[in-house]
């Protein structure tokens, strides 16, 4: 999930799907933990995102990647 949050946050092209702890990722990137660990987190149990080249993103996730957020503010609809 951290790799999906990282890839969506940096708008790295790919297809990302997550559902109840299971995640599927085509494209994207693994977080670079140097010089610090990427703290972002997805606050949703289910969602899908498509990031295209040219910084275009289509996603069901409307929340933030802030690790201190405690509730889900995103819309989870398919």
């Amino acid at each position: 999930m951290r790799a999906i949050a990282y890839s969506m946050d940096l708008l790295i092209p790919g297809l990302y799907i997550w559902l109840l702890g299971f995640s599927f990722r085509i494209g994207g990137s693994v977080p670079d933990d140097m010089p610090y660990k990427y703290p972002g987190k997805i606050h949703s149990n289910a969602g899908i995102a498509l990031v295209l080249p040219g910084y275009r993103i289509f996603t069901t996730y409307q929340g933030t990647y802030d690790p201190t957020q405690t509730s889900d503010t995103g819309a989870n609809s398919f």
Side-chain angles (χ1 to χ4, degrees):
M1 292 297 290
R2 196 167 71 96
I4 291 176
Y6 177 79
S7 297
M8 287 175 51
D9 196 14
L10 294 180
L11 296 174
I12 299 173
L15 173 66
Y16 313 104
I17 301 170
W18 62 97
L19 177 64
L20 301 172
F22 171 76
S23 62
F24 179 75
R25 176 173 59 95
I26 297 176
S29 181
V30 176
D32 181 14
D33 290 336
M34 291 300 199
Y36 66 92
K37 186 175 179 177
Y38 178 73
K41 182 178 177 183
I42 293 178
H43 303 279
S44 170
N45 290 329
I48 187 169
L50 176 64
V51 180
L52 300 174
Y55 304 109
R56 299 193 54 85
I57 185 169
F58 303 96
T59 182
T60 59
Y61 184 67
Q62 301 298 316
T64 180
Y65 305 112
D66 184 4
T68 60
Q69 181 179 352
T70 58
S71 64
D72 178 14
T73 59
N76 294 326
S77 61
F78 286 103

